[in-house]
Amino acid sequence: MTDAGRPATGRLEETGGRLDAGSWSQPVVGVLGGLGPAATAVFLDLLVRATDARTDQDHLDLVVSQHSSTPDRTARILDAEAADPGPVLARDAAMLERIGAQLLVLPCNTAHHFVQGVREATAIPFVSIVEATARAAAQRVAHSGRPVAVFATEGNVRAEVFEHALAAEGARPLIPERSLQDRINTLIYDQVKANRPVDTTLFEECVDTALEAGAGTVVLGCTELSVIYDQHGYRGDERLVDSLTVLAEQTILASGKRLSPGFG
C-alpha cells in the first residue's frame, strides 16, 4: 500500500538489466554522484526538501551512481599525468542511461570540465550545474553590474569553468587572489572533504573578503561549500548563490515537478 492508502501500481523490477518503466515515474533522473560523497548526500536531501510533495509517490524517481573512487578532477586538471576521470564519468553516464535514466545530473562543478565526454556517451538531456548557477548569479548582479566572485576548487579555477559560463551569461567573474583561494581550499579539502569540523568564521572571512573586493554576489561553485551552506545556517543568505541548491531546483523543474513553496 502507498502512504495515501492506495494500492501500489506496478512493481520495482529490472527487465534485461533495465528498469521496468511502467513502475517508475517519468523521467527517471540519473545522478552521477560521489564527487564528493557528502555533497551527493546533501543533493539527494535537497531534492526531497525542494519538491512540492504530499506523498512518497510525488517525489522524483532516481538512479544514483555514488562512484566515490572516480579519479580526482582537480588532480587531473593540474597534472596531465594524473588519472583521468573523464572516461569514468562517461561510462557511468552510459550505464545510467542503459538502466533507464532519462535525465542526467552531475552534482560536482569541477567535473563540468569533463562533461563533454558525458554528453557524447549519452543521448538524454543533461542539466548542467555550472550553466544553471552562472545564469542565476548573472541575474543576481544584473542591475548592479558588479562582478561575481567564484569560490571553487583549484582545478575549477585553473580550467576557467565558471569564467566561461559567466561570460556566456554576460557577467564578469571575480577570481580570488592567492591568499583567498588558499583559505577556500582549506574549507573544501581540509575540512569538508576530510570530514573535519567546519570553521564558519573562516567561511565568513572568505565571503567578506570577496564582497569587499567588489563582488556583487558569491557563487559557491564547489559542492563541498554547498555542504557548509546547507548545514551551517547559510540557507537563504542573499550574499550567496549556492550551486547545489540551483541544481536541485533545476532538476525538479526539468522533471516536471513543482518546487516546494518557500524553499530557497
Side-chain angles (χ1 to χ4, degrees):
M1 300 289 287
T2 69
D3 59 359
R6 301 186 299 274
T9 58
R11 293 176 297 160
L12 295 180
E13 63 182 16
E14 292 186 0
T15 304
R18 186 175 175 85
L19 301 177
D20 174 16
S23 62
W24 289 68
S25 65
Q26 310 298 309
V28 176
V29 179
V31 181
L32 289 161
L35 318 174
T40 301
V42 169
F43 176 67
L44 298 179
D45 185 44
L46 286 176
L47 289 177
V48 173
R49 284 188 276 148
T51 300
D52 186 10
R54 294 182 178 273
T55 68
D56 291 349
Q57 293 73 33
D58 290 333
H59 286 278
L60 301 178
D61 278 347
L62 312 169
V63 286
V64 182
S65 171
Q66 184 76 327
H67 198 166
S68 305
S69 60
T70 301
D72 187 86
R73 284 64 63 197
T74 287
R76 174 66 179 191
I77 292 169
L78 300 181
D79 179 4
E81 298 300 318
D84 187 356
V88 178
L89 290 167
R91 286 195 298 270
D92 287 349
M95 173 191 69
L96 292 173
E97 182 180 26
R98 186 168 62 250
I99 290 171
Q102 298 158 313
L103 180 71
L104 281 177
V105 296
L106 174 57
C108 174
N109 291 280
T110 308
H112 193 275
H113 179 66
F114 304 94
V115 83
Q116 187 58 36
V118 169
R119 285 175 161 146
E120 291 174 354
T122 57
I124 56 179
F126 177 83
V127 179
S128 167
I129 185 171
V130 170
E131 293 170 6
T133 301
R135 189 176 310 117
Q139 291 170 355
R140 185 75 63 87
V141 298
H143 295 299
S144 70
R146 297 169 72 182
V148 175
V150 178
F151 283 14
T153 64
E154 197 83 35
N156 189 308
V157 173
R158 177 75 65 85
E160 300 182 344
V161 171
F162 267 102
E163 288 189 61
H164 296 305
L166 287 167
E169 296 295 334
R172 294 181 294 122
L174 190 157
I175 303 303
E177 295 184 353
R178 184 70 263 164
S179 61
L180 177 55
Q181 184 63 49
D182 287 342
R183 285 179 283 167
I184 294 168
N185 290 344
T186 293
L187 290 164
I188 294 170
Y189 291 102
D190 299 337
Q191 296 181 12
V192 179
K193 280 187 178 291
N195 198 27
R196 303 298 184 195
V198 170
D199 184 347
T200 54
T201 299
L202 176 60
F203 181 77
E204 282 284 348
E205 290 173 352
C206 290
V207 174
D208 287 343
T209 298
L211 296 177
E212 289 167 3
T217 192
V218 175
V219 159
L220 301 182
C222 172
T223 51
E224 273 65 45
L225 299 176
S226 298
V227 174
I228 298 174
Y229 178 84
D230 189 66
Q231 297 183 354
H232 292 274
Y234 290 97
R235 179 156 298 284
D237 190 322
E238 289 297 321
R239 301 172 299 172
L240 310 172
V241 176
D242 176 51
S243 61
L244 205 58
T245 297
V246 172
L247 179 63
E249 292 172 343
Q250 292 305 309
T251 300
I252 292 164
L253 294 174
S255 300
K257 302 285 188 179
R258 294 180 300 181
L259 296 176
S260 179
F263 179 81

